[in-house]
Structures are given as structure tokens and as C-alpha cells.
Amino acid sequence: MGIRLKELKSTFNGSVMIYIKGSLVGIISLAICTLFSSYWITELADLDARAINLSGSLRMESYQLGMLRLEQQQEQLAVQIKLFEDKLQESNIY
């Protein structure tokens, strides 16, 4: 039994094909992991960009609401407040 194990070991010890196959499996595995991780990071960045754009838009609308209030435009202010609240309720990004 010990002799046969040594023979098998010496047959595969230093085999170039084993090293090539192992290297290819490693490279392909690394490429697949990199592909999935870049996709995941891209999705996260897209959600962050939408949140930033939405917060800027809501901030600008709140400034406009303040200006309408200062200018005493009550009818237009009520309409804009309703639109602002609707947009705020719809903006479930996550």
C-alpha cells in the first residue's frame, strides 16, 4: 500500500497540467467573484445617487414653499404643499 501511494504521488508531483488546471480554476473563480462584487457595488452607488438627487430636489422645493409663504400666495402655497407631501410619500428609495 505504501509503495503504491508513493508511485501515485510521484506521478502527479510536478505535473504541469495539474498546475495549469488549478491556475485556470483560480483565475475563473476570481473573475466571477469580481464580476458579482462590481455589480453589487454599482447597484449600491445607483441607490445613493437617487437618494442624493431626491434630497436636493426636496430641499429646493422647501425653499420655494418658504418663498411662497413670504409672498402671501396662499392658494399656490396649498397646491405646492400637497405636491411636496405626495412626493415625500412616494420617495421610498430603499
Side-chain angles (χ1 to χ4, degrees), residues 11-26:
T11 303
F12 290 110
N13 195 16
S15 173
V16 175
M17 288 305 290
I18 298 278
Y19 290 120
I20 290 174
K21 288 178 183 178
S23 298
L24 283 175
V25 166

Side-chain angles (χ1 to χ4, degrees), residues 25-84:
V25 166
I27 290 169
I28 291 170
S29 300
L30 183 63
I32 290 171
C33 289
T34 303
L35 181 76
F36 284 125
S37 64
S38 67
Y39 175 76
W40 180 66
I41 290 171
T42 302
E43 285 297 315
L44 289 177
D46 186 39
L47 289 175
D48 290 343
R50 273 192 240 152
I52 290 169
N53 287 338
L54 180 63
S55 68
S57 173
L58 290 172
R59 184 175 50 246
M60 181 55 94
E61 286 183 30
S62 69
Y63 294 150
Q64 291 172 351
L65 289 174
M67 291 303 293
L68 288 173
R69 173 70 174 105
L70 289 175
E71 294 172 357
Q72 303 292 327
Q73 297 179 5
Q74 298 302 325
E75 298 87 23
Q76 192 175 1
L77 180 63
V79 170
Q80 291 298 326
I81 287 175
K82 176 69 174 129
L83 291 173
F84 182 82

Side-chain angles (χ1 to χ4, degrees), residues 44 47-48 51 91-94:
L44 289 177
L47 289 175
D48 290 343
S91 63
N92 188 5
I93 291 179
Y94 298 102

